[in-house]
Amino acid sequence: MTAESALRFEALEVQAEQIMGIFARAGYERVAPSFIQPADIFLDCIGEALRNRTYVFTDPDGQELCLRPDLTIPACRIYLERNPHADAPARYAYNGPAFRYQAEPDALRPREFRQAGIENFGAADREQADAEVLALILDAVRLAGLTGFEIRCGDLGLFRALLSALPIPARWQDRLLHSFWRPGAFQSVLRRLASPPAALPDPAIAALAERLDPADPLAAEQEVAAFLDAKALTLLGARNLGEITTRLLSAAADMREQPLSGHVVTLVEDYLKISGTPDAALAAIAALSKDAGIDLAAPLAVCRRRQVLLREADIDTNALHFDADFGRQFEYYSGFVFQIELPGRGIAGQIAGGGRYDGLLASIGAERDAPAIGSAIHTERLLASKGGAR
Amino acid sequence: MSAEKLILGVPSKGRLMEQTADYFAARGLAFARTGHERGYRGEIAGFDDVEIAYLSASEIARHLQLGRIHLGVTGEDLIREHIADADQRCDFVAKLGFGRADVVVAVPECWIDVATVADLEEAAAIFYREHGRRLRVATKYMNLTRHFFARAGLVSYRLVESLGATEGTPAAQTAEIIVDITTTGTTLRANHLKILADGLILRSEACLVASRVAARPDAVRVAEARIRTQLAQFGATATIGADGEAPPRARASAGKRKRPG
């Protein structure tokens, strides 16, 4: 689509420049991330869905590279180059192509498409930054003439908070969070945790796991090392003794643990079904937490404060649609997530999306987690959708 | 390559070539090389309308996919690896009973906490937290591995293409686990690896496969019917599917397929 007609490309660029103007006036510095990126970082961070759709290749030096499948991680890399300690605030804007494999590319699913977007790093007031980014993206799509759209949103931080408030062992919370991105897998993990655990298949290993002392990980490691020695098993590869011991300890702990109660399972399932205006959804979550006797006051207060800030930024929060399980498509999202979509248009109607990703900078090399939120507009869909045109 | 002849792709070297020749010879279809001894063309005595193309085992899969050969003998592993929609593009005519090998997921024996693919997913999540990167899976079966792990719900891994000595990659620290073929498991054990309890991806053996996409002029259809009939006399036409079960479609379509015009 991008290069098919010069006229179309020009219209696309005119629109993009208008959008970039809005971003610039709001203090977002224009950056031009490289098209070609190191494959490792992308493949490790973007999650399964996008991973299989990234064009990866090897250069003559044998280095693994990829064509950027989105611009968020490339923008993050620029930020880290300039701020190795990830400790200074920065606002970046970009406009350019991204590349994703499509089994059958067509106008709706091009393998090469353009994104205009912003990334906001290091803002200590997270809710303020959330409101700022959504407001700017709304300004941009409105200026481009988009009407009749809906805004879907969610908050992955709330789900995390719910899990940690429930009587669920930390390692089970990790398992649930790990599978959260794949609803089918999440359901089966939830069901597995609610039934009695299966014993380790090898009785000798089961006995070893029983013997390990969870309070003394070092002694436990030595015991595992002795077991491996006795069985003449050499430690091979990068996975270390500590990791093996951790899992044996957790298997032993699982055997001693009560399975999740039906009550907890229902609560998690009910939570994920909550849907409505943000105010109504937050009220429903508050009611659910009260019934369950758990304390979600702090995370709910954060969400309510964001609501206030969104309204102060002239956003009609009653026009937002909150889904508790929204935001399962990108593994790096960690908090507020949103999408601007035209109802009934399917994938062509997904005009813009974004969210908070406070853990991403650390996972690509920053010394610590740093606040970050960004959003990108699919400019071709935006252009195609205006004035009811297909 | 004559347009009016049926082209049968046969492995060009090694045990697989010998066993294929023996298999067909035992069923009255004796191969003979045409031209000089090291040529890559051949014929079957008494079948003037059949030409043999000697190709590498993986090339046979690609040629079947593209319809450049009508029939081919190669491992089911290679067919399913190289042809994404193998059951649509190909008709599995017969399992030949040799070239047996299992495609399996194997991990270091010292991973006493990992016995199943579900264990692997949890180990992989911890590995990611510890090391800041995904577990690497070395294999030449990139597609089979991807599909198997997707079905099993394993996501925290990265594929590393390995075109030889795959079983050595964990020791060399270029991968943590492998997907490879094994017959007896001896090589895996020698490299301190074990197969996961539910880590069998495919039970493979040499197969006679027909390309559904190859053009079939009348002469070719006649030739194919003769070969199939000849093999059928020896009870070798059991059709097979992805899980070793006979898909009714594969059996029915062999006779029904018509060329338009």
mmCIF file of all heavy atoms in Angstrom, chain A residues 322-362:
data_model
loop_
_atom_site.group_PDB
_atom_site.id
_atom_site.type_symbol
_atom_site.label_atom_id
_atom_site.label_comp_id
_atom_site.label_asym_id
_atom_site.label_seq_id
_atom_site.Cartn_x
_atom_site.Cartn_y
_atom_site.Cartn_z
ATOM 1 N N PHE A 322 -14.221 0.585 29.273
ATOM 2 C CA PHE A 322 -13.212 -0.144 30.031
ATOM 3 C C PHE A 322 -13.507 -1.639 29.997
ATOM 4 O O PHE A 322 -14.614 -2.063 30.312
ATOM 5 C CB PHE A 322 -13.221 0.363 31.480
ATOM 6 C CG PHE A 322 -12.181 -0.264 32.365
ATOM 7 C CD1 PHE A 322 -10.983 0.400 32.625
ATOM 8 C CD2 PHE A 322 -12.390 -1.503 32.953
ATOM 9 C CE1 PHE A 322 -10.027 -0.174 33.452
ATOM 10 C CE2 PHE A 322 -11.428 -2.076 33.774
ATOM 11 C CZ PHE A 322 -10.244 -1.408 34.022
ATOM 12 N N ASP A 323 -12.527 -2.431 29.594
ATOM 13 C CA ASP A 323 -12.635 -3.891 29.693
ATOM 14 C C ASP A 323 -11.508 -4.382 30.585
ATOM 15 O O ASP A 323 -10.342 -4.100 30.320
ATOM 16 C CB ASP A 323 -12.462 -4.555 28.311
ATOM 17 C CG ASP A 323 -13.717 -4.461 27.474
ATOM 18 O OD1 ASP A 323 -14.810 -4.620 28.055
ATOM 19 O OD2 ASP A 323 -13.609 -4.208 26.266
ATOM 20 N N ALA A 324 -11.869 -5.132 31.614
ATOM 21 C CA ALA A 324 -10.835 -5.559 32.568
ATOM 22 C C ALA A 324 -9.798 -6.464 31.922
ATOM 23 O O ALA A 324 -8.658 -6.515 32.360
ATOM 24 C CB ALA A 324 -11.477 -6.269 33.759
ATOM 25 N N ASP A 325 -10.177 -7.187 30.876
ATOM 26 C CA ASP A 325 -9.179 -8.089 30.278
ATOM 27 C C ASP A 325 -8.586 -7.519 28.991
ATOM 28 O O ASP A 325 -7.936 -8.233 28.233
ATOM 29 C CB ASP A 325 -9.759 -9.486 30.068
ATOM 30 C CG ASP A 325 -10.531 -9.608 28.765
ATOM 31 O OD1 ASP A 325 -11.049 -8.581 28.285
ATOM 32 O OD2 ASP A 325 -10.608 -10.731 28.248
ATOM 33 N N PHE A 326 -8.756 -6.218 28.765
ATOM 34 C CA PHE A 326 -8.206 -5.613 27.566
ATOM 35 C C PHE A 326 -6.690 -5.420 27.726
ATOM 36 O O PHE A 326 -6.208 -5.111 28.803
ATOM 37 C CB PHE A 326 -8.877 -4.257 27.308
ATOM 38 C CG PHE A 326 -8.372 -3.561 26.075
ATOM 39 C CD1 PHE A 326 -8.580 -4.118 24.828
ATOM 40 C CD2 PHE A 326 -7.662 -2.377 26.165
ATOM 41 C CE1 PHE A 326 -8.106 -3.500 23.683
ATOM 42 C CE2 PHE A 326 -7.191 -1.741 25.023
ATOM 43 C CZ PHE A 326 -7.410 -2.313 23.788
ATOM 44 N N GLY A 327 -5.959 -5.574 26.614
ATOM 45 C CA GLY A 327 -4.519 -5.315 26.659
ATOM 46 C C GLY A 327 -3.690 -6.583 26.663
ATOM 47 O O GLY A 327 -2.534 -6.582 27.039
ATOM 48 N N ARG A 328 -4.305 -7.696 26.204
ATOM 49 C CA ARG A 328 -3.575 -8.951 26.247
ATOM 50 C C ARG A 328 -2.713 -9.188 25.010
ATOM 51 O O ARG A 328 -2.159 -10.259 24.858
ATOM 52 C CB ARG A 328 -4.572 -10.108 26.375
ATOM 53 C CG ARG A 328 -5.033 -10.315 27.799
ATOM 54 C CD ARG A 328 -6.028 -11.437 27.879
ATOM 55 N NE ARG A 328 -5.989 -12.056 29.199
ATOM 56 C CZ ARG A 328 -6.775 -13.049 29.575
ATOM 57 N NH1 ARG A 328 -7.638 -13.558 28.725
ATOM 58 N NH2 ARG A 328 -6.681 -13.561 30.773
ATOM 59 N N GLN A 329 -2.611 -8.189 24.114
ATOM 60 C CA GLN A 329 -1.920 -8.487 22.853
ATOM 61 C C GLN A 329 -0.411 -8.227 22.876
ATOM 62 O O GLN A 329 0.322 -8.860 22.147
ATOM 63 C CB GLN A 329 -2.582 -7.765 21.678
ATOM 64 C CG GLN A 329 -2.443 -6.254 21.661
ATOM 65 C CD GLN A 329 -3.500 -5.554 22.487
ATOM 66 O OE1 GLN A 329 -3.666 -5.845 23.671
ATOM 67 N NE2 GLN A 329 -4.217 -4.619 21.910
ATOM 68 N N PHE A 330 0.050 -7.292 23.704
ATOM 69 C CA PHE A 330 1.484 -7.031 23.767
ATOM 70 C C PHE A 330 2.008 -7.376 25.143
ATOM 71 O O PHE A 330 1.555 -6.821 26.130
ATOM 72 C CB PHE A 330 1.792 -5.561 23.475
ATOM 73 C CG PHE A 330 1.809 -5.240 22.021
ATOM 74 C CD1 PHE A 330 0.742 -4.607 21.430
ATOM 75 C CD2 PHE A 330 2.901 -5.600 21.247
ATOM 76 C CE1 PHE A 330 0.755 -4.321 20.082
ATOM 77 C CE2 PHE A 330 2.914 -5.312 19.901
ATOM 78 C CZ PHE A 330 1.840 -4.674 19.308
ATOM 79 N N GLU A 331 3.009 -8.257 25.187
ATOM 80 C CA GLU A 331 3.468 -8.733 26.487
ATOM 81 C C GLU A 331 4.150 -7.666 27.305
ATOM 82 O O GLU A 331 4.344 -7.831 28.493
ATOM 83 C CB GLU A 331 4.405 -9.928 26.316
ATOM 84 C CG GLU A 331 3.641 -11.191 26.037
ATOM 85 C CD GLU A 331 4.529 -12.418 26.057
ATOM 86 O OE1 GLU A 331 5.503 -12.437 26.827
ATOM 87 O OE2 GLU A 331 4.242 -13.342 25.303
ATOM 88 N N TYR A 332 4.563 -6.548 26.671
ATOM 89 C CA TYR A 332 5.318 -5.590 27.481
ATOM 90 C C TYR A 332 4.446 -4.568 28.197
ATOM 91 O O TYR A 332 4.936 -3.795 29.001
ATOM 92 C CB TYR A 332 6.450 -4.925 26.681
ATOM 93 C CG TYR A 332 6.097 -4.286 25.359
ATOM 94 C CD1 TYR A 332 5.246 -3.200 25.283
ATOM 95 C CD2 TYR A 332 6.685 -4.752 24.176
ATOM 96 C CE1 TYR A 332 4.970 -2.592 24.068
ATOM 97 C CE2 TYR A 332 6.416 -4.150 22.956
ATOM 98 C CZ TYR A 332 5.559 -3.069 22.908
ATOM 99 O OH TYR A 332 5.289 -2.480 21.704
ATOM 100 N N TYR A 333 3.161 -4.536 27.936
ATOM 101 C CA TYR A 333 2.313 -3.571 28.636
ATOM 102 C C TYR A 333 2.199 -3.915 30.117
ATOM 103 O O TYR A 333 2.127 -5.073 30.493
ATOM 104 C CB TYR A 333 0.915 -3.534 28.020
ATOM 105 C CG TYR A 333 0.872 -2.776 26.708
ATOM 106 C CD1 TYR A 333 0.036 -3.170 25.686
ATOM 107 C CD2 TYR A 333 1.681 -1.666 26.501
ATOM 108 C CE1 TYR A 333 -0.008 -2.477 24.480
ATOM 109 C CE2 TYR A 333 1.647 -0.967 25.305
ATOM 110 C CZ TYR A 333 0.806 -1.377 24.297
ATOM 111 O OH TYR A 333 0.781 -0.694 23.126
ATOM 112 N N SER A 334 2.160 -2.873 30.935
ATOM 113 C CA SER A 334 2.142 -3.123 32.377
ATOM 114 C C SER A 334 1.057 -2.357 33.121
ATOM 115 O O SER A 334 0.795 -2.654 34.279
ATOM 116 C CB SER A 334 3.511 -2.742 32.970
ATOM 117 O OG SER A 334 3.738 -1.354 32.763
ATOM 118 N N GLY A 335 0.443 -1.355 32.506
ATOM 119 C CA GLY A 335 -0.539 -0.546 33.237
ATOM 120 C C GLY A 335 -1.707 -0.152 32.347
ATOM 121 O O GLY A 335 -2.334 -0.987 31.716
ATOM 122 N N PHE A 336 -1.945 1.160 32.288
ATOM 123 C CA PHE A 336 -3.030 1.708 31.464
ATOM 124 C C PHE A 336 -2.794 1.339 29.989
ATOM 125 O O PHE A 336 -1.689 1.495 29.465
ATOM 126 C CB PHE A 336 -3.027 3.234 31.627
ATOM 127 C CG PHE A 336 -4.115 3.951 30.874
ATOM 128 C CD1 PHE A 336 -5.446 3.632 31.058
ATOM 129 C CD2 PHE A 336 -3.796 4.988 29.985
ATOM 130 C CE1 PHE A 336 -6.442 4.310 30.368
ATOM 131 C CE2 PHE A 336 -4.785 5.672 29.290
ATOM 132 C CZ PHE A 336 -6.111 5.329 29.488
ATOM 133 N N VAL A 337 -3.827 0.815 29.335
ATOM 134 C CA VAL A 337 -3.740 0.489 27.902
ATOM 135 C C VAL A 337 -4.990 1.022 27.212
ATOM 136 O O VAL A 337 -6.063 1.088 27.824
ATOM 137 C CB VAL A 337 -3.646 -1.038 27.649
ATOM 138 C CG1 VAL A 337 -2.240 -1.548 27.898
ATOM 139 C CG2 VAL A 337 -4.664 -1.803 28.482
ATOM 140 N N PHE A 338 -4.848 1.418 25.953
ATOM 141 C CA PHE A 338 -6.030 1.931 25.246
ATOM 142 C C PHE A 338 -5.931 1.672 23.752
ATOM 143 O O PHE A 338 -4.852 1.404 23.218
ATOM 144 C CB PHE A 338 -6.211 3.435 25.515
ATOM 145 C CG PHE A 338 -5.065 4.276 25.025
ATOM 146 C CD1 PHE A 338 -5.022 4.741 23.712
ATOM 147 C CD2 PHE A 338 -4.018 4.606 25.871
ATOM 148 C CE1 PHE A 338 -3.969 5.510 23.263
ATOM 149 C CE2 PHE A 338 -2.952 5.385 25.417
ATOM 150 C CZ PHE A 338 -2.929 5.832 24.109
ATOM 151 N N GLN A 339 -7.066 1.730 23.100
ATOM 152 C CA GLN A 339 -7.121 1.574 21.651
ATOM 153 C C GLN A 339 -8.239 2.448 21.106
ATOM 154 O O GLN A 339 -9.326 2.494 21.673
ATOM 155 C CB GLN A 339 -7.376 0.107 21.302
ATOM 156 C CG GLN A 339 -7.480 -0.167 19.812
ATOM 157 C CD GLN A 339 -7.273 -1.650 19.516
ATOM 158 O OE1 GLN A 339 -6.174 -2.184 19.627
ATOM 159 N NE2 GLN A 339 -8.346 -2.317 19.169
ATOM 160 N N ILE A 340 -7.947 3.124 19.994
ATOM 161 C CA ILE A 340 -8.970 3.951 19.339
ATOM 162 C C ILE A 340 -9.457 3.171 18.134
ATOM 163 O O ILE A 340 -8.658 2.800 17.264
ATOM 164 C CB ILE A 340 -8.366 5.306 18.928
ATOM 165 C CG1 ILE A 340 -8.005 6.076 20.212
ATOM 166 C CG2 ILE A 340 -9.345 6.104 18.067
ATOM 167 C CD1 ILE A 340 -7.177 7.297 19.981
ATOM 168 N N GLU A 341 -10.735 2.870 18.106
ATOM 169 C CA GLU A 341 -11.223 1.998 17.033
ATOM 170 C C GLU A 341 -12.557 2.458 16.482
ATOM 171 O O GLU A 341 -13.347 3.092 17.179
ATOM 172 C CB GLU A 341 -11.314 0.552 17.540
ATOM 173 C CG GLU A 341 -12.131 0.391 18.803
ATOM 174 C CD GLU A 341 -11.980 -1.002 19.437
ATOM 175 O OE1 GLU A 341 -10.846 -1.502 19.534
ATOM 176 O OE2 GLU A 341 -13.008 -1.576 19.828
ATOM 177 N N LEU A 342 -12.746 2.134 15.201
ATOM 178 C CA LEU A 342 -14.043 2.387 14.577
ATOM 179 C C LEU A 342 -14.860 1.123 14.724
ATOM 180 O O LEU A 342 -14.432 0.060 14.268
ATOM 181 C CB LEU A 342 -13.855 2.726 13.094
ATOM 182 C CG LEU A 342 -13.208 4.082 12.828
ATOM 183 C CD1 LEU A 342 -12.834 4.213 11.363
ATOM 184 C CD2 LEU A 342 -14.135 5.221 13.244
ATOM 185 N N PRO A 343 -16.027 1.205 15.384
ATOM 186 C CA PRO A 343 -16.790 -0.013 15.645
ATOM 187 C C PRO A 343 -17.231 -0.684 14.344
ATOM 188 O O PRO A 343 -17.528 -0.008 13.356
ATOM 189 C CB PRO A 343 -17.987 0.479 16.458
ATOM 190 C CG PRO A 343 -18.036 1.954 16.281
ATOM 191 C CD PRO A 343 -16.657 2.406 15.923
ATOM 192 N N GLY A 344 -17.230 -1.995 14.358
ATOM 193 C CA GLY A 344 -17.762 -2.758 13.238
ATOM 194 C C GLY A 344 -16.844 -2.858 12.040
ATOM 195 O O GLY A 344 -17.209 -3.423 11.017
ATOM 196 N N ARG A 345 -15.614 -2.341 12.145
ATOM 197 C CA ARG A 345 -14.712 -2.377 10.989
ATOM 198 C C ARG A 345 -13.624 -3.443 11.115
ATOM 199 O O ARG A 345 -12.732 -3.513 10.270
ATOM 200 C CB ARG A 345 -14.010 -1.022 10.814
ATOM 201 C CG ARG A 345 -14.934 0.123 10.534
ATOM 202 C CD ARG A 345 -15.175 0.251 9.033
ATOM 203 N NE ARG A 345 -15.765 1.550 8.744
ATOM 204 C CZ ARG A 345 -15.074 2.571 8.269
ATOM 205 N NH1 ARG A 345 -13.792 2.450 8.033
ATOM 206 N NH2 ARG A 345 -15.677 3.714 8.044
ATOM 207 N N GLY A 346 -13.656 -4.203 12.197
ATOM 208 C CA GLY A 346 -12.631 -5.220 12.379
ATOM 209 C C GLY A 346 -11.258 -4.589 12.484
ATOM 210 O O GLY A 346 -11.104 -3.492 13.027
ATOM 211 N N ILE A 347 -10.290 -5.270 11.880
ATOM 212 C CA ILE A 347 -8.903 -4.835 12.043
ATOM 213 C C ILE A 347 -8.655 -3.479 11.368
ATOM 214 O O ILE A 347 -7.846 -2.672 11.837
ATOM 215 C CB ILE A 347 -7.945 -5.920 11.522
ATOM 216 C CG1 ILE A 347 -6.506 -5.633 11.960
ATOM 217 C CG2 ILE A 347 -8.007 -6.062 10.018
ATOM 218 C CD1 ILE A 347 -5.601 -6.808 11.882
ATOM 219 N N ALA A 348 -9.398 -3.189 10.289
ATOM 220 C CA ALA A 348 -9.230 -1.903 9.598
ATOM 221 C C ALA A 348 -9.658 -0.747 10.482
ATOM 222 O O ALA A 348 -9.278 0.400 10.267
ATOM 223 C CB ALA A 348 -10.038 -1.890 8.307
ATOM 224 N N GLY A 349 -10.476 -1.051 11.492
ATOM 225 C CA GLY A 349 -10.975 -0.008 12.372
ATOM 226 C C GLY A 349 -10.069 0.270 13.558
ATOM 227 O O GLY A 349 -10.344 1.168 14.343
ATOM 228 N N GLN A 350 -8.992 -0.516 13.701
ATOM 229 C CA GLN A 350 -8.071 -0.274 14.821
ATOM 230 C C GLN A 350 -7.082 0.813 14.400
ATOM 231 O O GLN A 350 -6.056 0.558 13.796
ATOM 232 C CB GLN A 350 -7.353 -1.568 15.200
ATOM 233 C CG GLN A 350 -8.317 -2.606 15.761
ATOM 234 C CD GLN A 350 -7.674 -3.957 15.986
ATOM 235 O OE1 GLN A 350 -6.474 -4.113 15.877
ATOM 236 N NE2 GLN A 350 -8.486 -4.949 16.300
ATOM 237 N N ILE A 351 -7.424 2.058 14.747
ATOM 238 C CA ILE A 351 -6.693 3.203 14.228
ATOM 239 C C ILE A 351 -5.430 3.502 15.035
ATOM 240 O O ILE A 351 -4.403 3.844 14.473
ATOM 241 C CB ILE A 351 -7.601 4.463 14.226
ATOM 242 C CG1 ILE A 351 -8.915 4.175 13.485
ATOM 243 C CG2 ILE A 351 -6.871 5.660 13.631
ATOM 244 C CD1 ILE A 351 -8.751 3.892 12.009
ATOM 245 N N ALA A 352 -5.523 3.395 16.328
ATOM 246 C CA ALA A 352 -4.369 3.727 17.173
ATOM 247 C C ALA A 352 -4.426 2.904 18.445
ATOM 248 O O ALA A 352 -5.505 2.500 18.887
ATOM 249 C CB ALA A 352 -4.366 5.213 17.514
ATOM 250 N N GLY A 353 -3.272 2.671 19.021
ATOM 251 C CA GLY A 353 -3.244 1.919 20.272
ATOM 252 C C GLY A 353 -2.028 2.317 21.070
ATOM 253 O O GLY A 353 -1.052 2.850 20.522
ATOM 254 N N GLY A 354 -2.093 2.080 22.367
ATOM 255 C CA GLY A 354 -0.936 2.415 23.176
ATOM 256 C C GLY A 354 -1.102 1.932 24.592
ATOM 257 O O GLY A 354 -2.129 1.347 24.946
ATOM 258 N N GLY A 355 -0.088 2.213 25.389
ATOM 259 C CA GLY A 355 -0.170 1.804 26.777
ATOM 260 C C GLY A 355 1.127 2.014 27.525
ATOM 261 O O GLY A 355 2.142 2.404 26.942
ATOM 262 N N ARG A 356 1.022 1.740 28.803
ATOM 263 C CA ARG A 356 2.158 1.913 29.713
ATOM 264 C C ARG A 356 2.986 0.634 29.714
ATOM 265 O O ARG A 356 2.435 -0.471 29.708
ATOM 266 C CB ARG A 356 1.609 2.242 31.102
ATOM 267 C CG ARG A 356 2.636 2.357 32.196
ATOM 268 C CD ARG A 356 2.102 3.131 33.390
ATOM 269 N NE ARG A 356 1.949 4.549 33.083
ATOM 270 C CZ ARG A 356 2.984 5.400 32.988
ATOM 271 N NH1 ARG A 356 4.224 4.978 33.165
ATOM 272 N NH2 ARG A 356 2.770 6.667 32.687
ATOM 273 N N TYR A 357 4.310 0.796 29.687
ATOM 274 C CA TYR A 357 5.193 -0.366 29.667
ATOM 275 C C TYR A 357 6.396 -0.136 30.573
ATOM 276 O O TYR A 357 7.531 -0.054 30.135
ATOM 277 C CB TYR A 357 5.615 -0.706 28.229
ATOM 278 C CG TYR A 357 6.171 0.444 27.425
ATOM 279 C CD1 TYR A 357 7.537 0.703 27.421
ATOM 280 C CD2 TYR A 357 5.343 1.275 26.690
ATOM 281 C CE1 TYR A 357 8.063 1.761 26.706
ATOM 282 C CE2 TYR A 357 5.858 2.341 25.965
ATOM 283 C CZ TYR A 357 7.217 2.582 25.978
ATOM 284 O OH TYR A 357 7.728 3.632 25.268
ATOM 285 N N ASP A 358 6.131 -0.061 31.861
ATOM 286 C CA ASP A 358 7.167 0.318 32.826
ATOM 287 C C ASP A 358 8.304 -0.695 32.952
ATOM 288 O O ASP A 358 9.359 -0.366 33.485
ATOM 289 C CB ASP A 358 6.530 0.550 34.209
ATOM 290 C CG ASP A 358 5.675 1.818 34.235
ATOM 291 O OD1 ASP A 358 5.728 2.592 33.264
ATOM 292 O OD2 ASP A 358 4.959 2.031 35.236
ATOM 293 N N GLY A 359 8.108 -1.921 32.493
ATOM 294 C CA GLY A 359 9.179 -2.915 32.649
ATOM 295 C C GLY A 359 10.058 -3.085 31.424
ATOM 296 O O GLY A 359 11.076 -3.759 31.464
ATOM 297 N N LEU A 360 9.658 -2.456 30.325
ATOM 298 C CA LEU A 360 10.344 -2.741 29.053
ATOM 299 C C LEU A 360 11.788 -2.221 29.020
ATOM 300 O O LEU A 360 12.693 -2.916 28.560
ATOM 301 C CB LEU A 360 9.546 -2.160 27.886
ATOM 302 C CG LEU A 360 10.102 -2.438 26.488
ATOM 303 C CD1 LEU A 360 10.198 -3.923 26.226
ATOM 304 C CD2 LEU A 360 9.239 -1.777 25.423
ATOM 305 N N LEU A 361 12.007 -1.009 29.513
ATOM 306 C CA LEU A 361 13.356 -0.442 29.459
ATOM 307 C C LEU A 361 14.353 -1.340 30.182
ATOM 308 O O LEU A 361 15.453 -1.585 29.686
ATOM 309 C CB LEU A 361 13.361 0.968 30.053
ATOM 310 C CG LEU A 361 12.721 2.050 29.171
ATOM 311 C CD1 LEU A 361 12.501 3.333 29.962
ATOM 312 C CD2 LEU A 361 13.565 2.334 27.942
ATOM 313 N N ALA A 362 13.947 -1.854 31.342
ATOM 314 C CA ALA A 362 14.849 -2.741 32.080
ATOM 315 C C ALA A 362 15.126 -4.002 31.277
ATOM 316 O O ALA A 362 16.250 -4.506 31.260
ATOM 317 C CB ALA A 362 14.260 -3.093 33.443
#
